């Protein structure tokens, strides 16, 4: 790979690494018993899609610290995508989401495989939970088996533990905040721990630690990664309600139906007057939200200019992130790649 950031070429390398590793692991899993076929298939499906941005941030954390291109590092970076796949499977179970990447989610697909069994719905959810657990374990396995020297891996081991701890804390906070009165500070805390850290900051820090980066550079990675990770999730919140499902691959009603404590919802609540809050409360209390409800809440959000304020928050965070790279000695090609990644992560439409 050249010093130029080529997202398509990089994605192909990560996809190839995952296909080989997950394929082998799936075969070994299936060899235990043929009945495991539906589960083995979902382990593969869960790792097939994605923009591979977490792997990219890990890779450019390595390159920004002065290290050359490395196939072993790409494999270690691909482990970030297995963590993401695990988190996605678990998140879909928690939210009872029907779609991801335009396909039925793991617990929905497994329900079909168990349709002739008693308690098929609960059994499918249990199996999907175990798919997520398996993917998290495989992430750690791929990381240590990447081919990087053990001395390099040992530098990143504490960060790997932090990644898992903070991600799970974020998921727990989202559940604990769901249904409570919308609060922007609480919503942004969920954003930071559930998404921002494991999407941008931790992959960057892990790549830098593997490369032996100077503490000053690692500090700059955090100054870049946290606001950018928050901007990434804020964009996701907007796309969740206002995006095109044909492009996002997700159902627009998910956030409304589950009352996720998004910053978009908190901004809407804060800006709404008494009658608008009453309207919002009525919409959020609907057990089976409809397309009409979706149109109504979109209209309410637009009238109080909540989407515009979220857009402003995204812009401010991207500017904060990219300016953080100016105070450290980073090779021009790495700084350029990280700037391009910042815009790709937040200007997306899916």
């Amino acid at each position: 790979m050249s010093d130029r950031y080529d997202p398509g070429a990089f994605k192909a390398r990560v996809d190839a690494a995952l296909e080989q590793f997950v394929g082998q692991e799936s075969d070994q899993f299936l060899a235990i018993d043929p009945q495991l076929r539906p589960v083995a298939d979902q382990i593969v499906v869960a790792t097939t899609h994605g923009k591979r941005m977490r792997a990219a941030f890990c890779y450019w954390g390595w390159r920004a610290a002065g290290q050359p291109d490395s196939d072993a590092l790409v494999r270690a970076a691909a482990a970030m995508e297995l963590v993401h796949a695990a988190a996605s499977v678990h998140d879909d179970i928690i939210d009872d989401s029907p779609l991801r990447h335009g396909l039925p989610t793991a617990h929905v697909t497994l329900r079909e495989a168990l349709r002739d069994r008693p308690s098929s719905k609960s059994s499918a959810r249990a199996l999907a939970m175990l798919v997520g657990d398996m993917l998290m374990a495989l992430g750690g396995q791929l990381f240590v088996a990447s081919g990087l020297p053990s001395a390099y891996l040992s530098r990143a081991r504490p960060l790997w533990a932090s990644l898992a701890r903070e991600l799970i804390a974020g998921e727990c906070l989202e559940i604990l905040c769901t249904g409570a009165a919308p609060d922007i500070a609480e919503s942004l805390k969920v954003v930071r721990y559930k998404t921002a850290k494991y999407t941008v900051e931790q992959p960057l820090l892990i790549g830098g630690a593997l490369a032996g980066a100077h503490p000053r550079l690692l500090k700059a990675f955090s100054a870049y990664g946290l606001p950018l990770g928050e901007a990434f999730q804020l964009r996701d919140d907007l796309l969740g309600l206002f995006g095109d499902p044909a492009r996002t691959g997700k159902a627009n009603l998910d956030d409304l139906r589950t009352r996720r404590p998004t910053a978009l919802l908190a901004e809407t609540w804060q800006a709404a007057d008494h009658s608008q809050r009453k309207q919002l409360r009525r919409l959020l209390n609907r057990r089976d939200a409809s397309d009409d409800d979706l149109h109504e809440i979109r209209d309410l959000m637009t009238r109080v200019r909540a989407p515009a304020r979220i857009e402003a928050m995204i812009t401010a965070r991207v500017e904060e992130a990219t300016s953080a790279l100016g105070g450290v000695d980073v090779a021009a090609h790495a700084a350029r790649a990280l700037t391009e990644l910042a815009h790709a992560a937040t200007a997306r439409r899916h």
Side-chain angles (χ1 to χ4, degrees), residues 22 67 130 164 174 185 193 198 210 228 236 248 256 327-328:
V22 175
Q67 293 285 4
L130 294 169
E174 183 177 64
Y193 284 95
Y198 101 95
L210 289 170
L228 181 57
D236 216 48
T248 65
L256 177 58
V328 290

Side-chain angles (χ1 to χ4, degrees), residues 58-71:
C58 183
Y59 176 86
W60 286 105
W62 165 272
R63 296 299 305 274
Q67 293 285 4
D69 180 53
S70 163
D71 288 336

Side-chain angles (χ1 to χ4, degrees), residues 1 3-8 10-11 14 50-64 77 81 199-201 203-204 221 224-225 227-233 235 314 317-319 321-322 325 332-348:
M1 186 172 179
D3 288 343
R4 183 176 65 87
Y5 172 52
D6 184 338
F10 181 76
K11 181 180 184 305
V14 174
K51 293 175 279 294
R52 310 311 189 197
M53 299 199 79
R54 292 158 184 84
F57 284 118
C58 183
Y59 176 86
W60 286 105
W62 165 272
R63 296 299 305 274
E81 298 299 330
T199 297
V200 185
E201 185 200 25
L204 264 174
F221 283 169
Y224 165 96
L228 181 57
E230 290 177 0
F232 176 91
Q233 182 58 44
R235 173 63 63 203
I314 292 171
R317 281 162 170 76
V318 172
E319 290 175 354
T322 53
L325 300 174
H333 65 274
R336 185 167 54 249
L338 288 170
T339 300
E340 291 178 20
L341 269 169
H343 292 292
T346 55
R348 60 200 167 90

Side-chain angles (χ1 to χ4, degrees), residues 2-269:
S2 72
D3 288 343
R4 183 176 65 87
Y5 172 52
D6 184 338
F10 181 76
K11 181 180 184 305
R13 290 178 74 185
V14 174
D15 286 347
L18 289 173
E19 181 179 5
Q20 180 182 25
F21 175 76
V22 175
Q24 290 173 349
E25 289 297 325
S26 176
D27 288 345
Q28 292 183 45
F29 184 76
L30 185 57
I32 295 171
D33 194 299
Q35 292 186 83
L36 294 170
R37 167 66 68 183
V39 180
D41 288 347
Q42 286 307 300
I43 291 170
V44 173
V45 169
T47 61
T48 302
H49 304 278
K51 293 175 279 294
R52 310 311 189 197
M53 299 199 79
R54 292 158 184 84
F57 284 118
C58 183
Y59 176 86
W60 286 105
W62 165 272
R63 296 299 305 274
Q67 293 285 4
D69 180 53
S70 163
D71 288 336
L73 189 280
V74 170
R75 287 191 290 273
M80 306 292 107
E81 298 299 330
L82 291 174
V83 172
H84 175 53
S88 297
V89 170
H90 285 153
D91 204 39
D92 290 339
I93 297 168
I94 292 166
D95 295 334
D96 199 23
S97 297
L99 294 173
R100 183 172 289 273
H101 301 297
L103 299 171
T105 48
H107 65 278
V108 172
T109 301
L110 288 164
R111 192 187 311 158
E112 177 63 21
L114 296 170
R115 63 185 181 277
D116 297 327
R117 309 285 183 88
S119 306
S120 61
K121 184 174 182 179
S122 60
S123 295
R125 290 173 67 87
L127 287 177
M129 180 183 67
L130 294 169
V131 168
D133 292 347
M134 182 71 170
L135 288 166
M136 186 66 81
L138 290 178
Q141 184 179 337
L142 177 57
F143 187 74
V144 299
S146 61
L148 289 172
S150 58
Y152 287 30
L153 296 171
S154 66
R155 293 195 292 247
R157 190 168 292 119
L159 291 168
W160 186 268
S162 295
L163 183 152
R165 178 173 57 250
E166 292 172 347
L167 170 58
I168 293 169
E171 287 281 7
C172 291
L173 285 172
E174 183 177 64
I175 293 169
L176 292 168
C177 291
T178 295
D183 179 273
I184 188 64
E186 288 295 328
S187 294
L188 288 174
K189 190 170 189 179
V190 171
V191 164
R192 172 164 288 202
Y193 284 95
K194 184 190 173 189
T195 302
K197 282 179 162 286
Y198 101 95
T199 297
V200 185
E201 185 200 25
Q202 291 289 4
L204 264 174
L205 290 174
I206 287 171
L210 289 170
H214 190 277
R216 187 181 175 196
L217 180 57
L218 296 177
K219 185 177 180 180
F221 283 169
S222 288
Y224 165 96
L226 282 173
L228 181 57
E230 290 177 0
F232 176 91
Q233 182 58 44
L234 291 172
R235 173 63 63 203
D236 216 48
D237 291 347
L238 282 174
L239 290 173
L241 271 174
F242 290 89
D244 178 2
R247 300 190 69 182
T248 65
K250 300 177 184 177
N252 284 132
L253 287 167
D254 276 3
D255 286 0
L256 177 58
R257 180 174 47 79
T258 58
R259 294 184 64 179
R260 287 176 182 157
T262 65
L264 177 60
L265 177 59
E267 282 289 340
T268 303
W269 182 263

